[in-house]
Amino acid sequence: MRIDLHTHTRVSDGTQSPTELVRAAVEAGLDVLGLTDHDTAGGWDEAARAAEGTGLTVLPGIEISARHHHHGVHLLAYRPDPAYPPLAGALGKILAGRSSRVPAILERLRSHGMDVTAADVRRASQDTAATGRPHVADAMVALGYVADRSQAFRDWLNPGMPAYVDRYAAELVDMLRLVGEAGGVPVIAHPWGRHGPEAMGEEALAGLVGLGLAGIEVDHEDHPPAARERLRDIARDLGLVVTGSSDHHGTGKDGHALGCNTTAPEEYARLVELATSARATGTAAARSPE
Ligand code: AMP
Ligand code: FE
Ligand code: FE
Ligand code: ZN
């Protein structure tokens, strides 16, 4: 069984439609595909339809933009009911923060001589429900200001660079509660990806277990081998599910090919079992598709 639990489509900042992603997953020989666009469940239905009759199982999820002690944290929520009003409201607030940041980024680019308009960004992000820096990057590429997304981030859009602007993110502890209430299973994405162990050490992770955290993404391209070993030990000590995934973004992000990291079948089975019991105990009337 080949199981990849974290991927993106054009509904957020990937470059494939949900249908194209499902086809690529089948071609890559995957058995289970976690579809986890940023802050939206907008691709779930199309992906489920595309997977019919292929033998591929799509595990619907959302990668939620959160914050913990002022550090950005991405929370993967598997099979929550996205229509549960408090969760829908929280996601709406994050999506609004994504959109309202764009003019500020464009203003900074303009002050550096790059004339990228809101219409240019809209053209570059037609299918998205979650506008982000990658779409600004795509507009910069289309206008010839940079060669690719990587250069746009490196020279302009990363923190510390001239056109970086922060955006709203939800409190992690609130999201752990809401995801549980919505019948979903929360897993922290690439916990040591950006800041290393500093932002999300063993003690911090231990503190989150009591708040409903179910797992951590250990095998991710942003984690060097030593970090993976250490995170695997921590997960075992804390009883957390260990996942592995590509964080595939189509051609939008280099080095994240489908299936480049995978989740062990027994860990996936634990996740599915947790999702089944979460649905039974969640406050939300569980309506998410199977
Ligand atoms: P935002 O959602 O606007 O904060 O932008 C962050 C997103 O940009 C992440 O989810 C990544 O998918 C993407 N990203 C970050 N760095 C790069 C990069 N160097 N090349 C391509 N995409 C990137
Ligand atoms: Fe992304
Ligand atoms: Fe992420
Ligand atoms: Zn991701």
Side-chain angles (χ1 to χ4, degrees), residues 2 18-33 47 50-58 258:
R2 287 183 25 96
T19 302
E20 288 164 351
L21 175 68
V22 163
R23 286 192 189 136
V26 171
E27 259 167 54
L30 294 180
D31 299 288
V32 180
L33 175 76
E52 276 170 27
T54 65
L56 179 79
T57 299
V58 174
L258 279 172

Side-chain angles (χ1 to χ4, degrees), residues 6 8 36 38 63 74 190 247 249 253:
H6 175 173
H8 298 270
T36 54
H38 297 284
E63 184 176 17
H74 287 178
H190 43 73
D247 202 354
H249 282 69
K253 216 173 176 185

Side-chain angles (χ1 to χ4, degrees), residues 217-221 223 228 232 242-246 261-262:
E217 188 178 58
V218 170
D219 291 299
H220 184 283
E221 284 307 286
H223 294 154
R228 298 185 190 203
R232 221 180 298 282
V242 169
T243 69
S245 34
S246 64
N261 296 293
T262 54

Side-chain angles (χ1 to χ4, degrees), residues 49-227:
R49 274 197 306 276
E52 276 170 27
T54 65
L56 179 79
T57 299
V58 174
L59 179 67
I62 306 171
E63 184 176 17
I64 302 175
S65 306
R67 214 177 283 279
H68 192 50
H69 301 313
H70 307 290
H71 285 292
V73 179
H74 287 178
L75 185 67
L76 295 163
Y78 291 105
R79 280 206 336 212
D81 177 0
Y84 174 56
L87 179 61
L91 294 174
K93 200 167 162 190
I94 299 170
L95 293 175
R98 286 178 163 281
S99 304
S100 64
R101 166 181 66 164
V102 173
I105 296 179
L106 299 185
E107 188 52 49
R108 292 190 182 205
L109 289 175
R110 228 176 336 268
S111 76
H112 289 270
M114 280 171 279
D115 187 25
V116 184
T117 66
D120 294 324
V121 176
R122 265 198 303 280
R123 239 189 316 279
S125 59
Q126 271 178 4
D127 300 331
T128 196
T131 314
R133 284 174 283 162
H135 305 110
V136 177
D138 290 346
M140 293 169 75
V141 173
L143 292 165
Y145 291 124
V146 291
D148 52 28
R149 278 189 183 181
S150 296
Q151 193 194 350
F153 272 89
R154 196 177 58 241
D155 296 348
W156 300 102
L157 301 173
N158 273 335
M161 290 298 123
Y164 175 73
V165 179
D166 198 10
R167 64 179 165 85
Y168 168 79
E171 280 301 323
L172 178 65
V173 295
D174 295 339
M175 282 303 113
L176 287 172
R177 191 187 69 250
L178 285 189
V179 168
E181 287 175 5
V185 180
V187 172
I188 292 185
H190 43 73
W192 293 357
R194 189 94 38 96
H195 316 279
E198 217 174 291
M200 193 55 71
E202 180 159 16
E203 261 179 54
L205 288 167
L208 297 171
V209 172
L211 299 172
L213 182 66
I216 53 177
E217 188 178 58
V218 170
D219 291 299
H220 184 283
E221 284 307 286
D222 289 355
H223 294 154

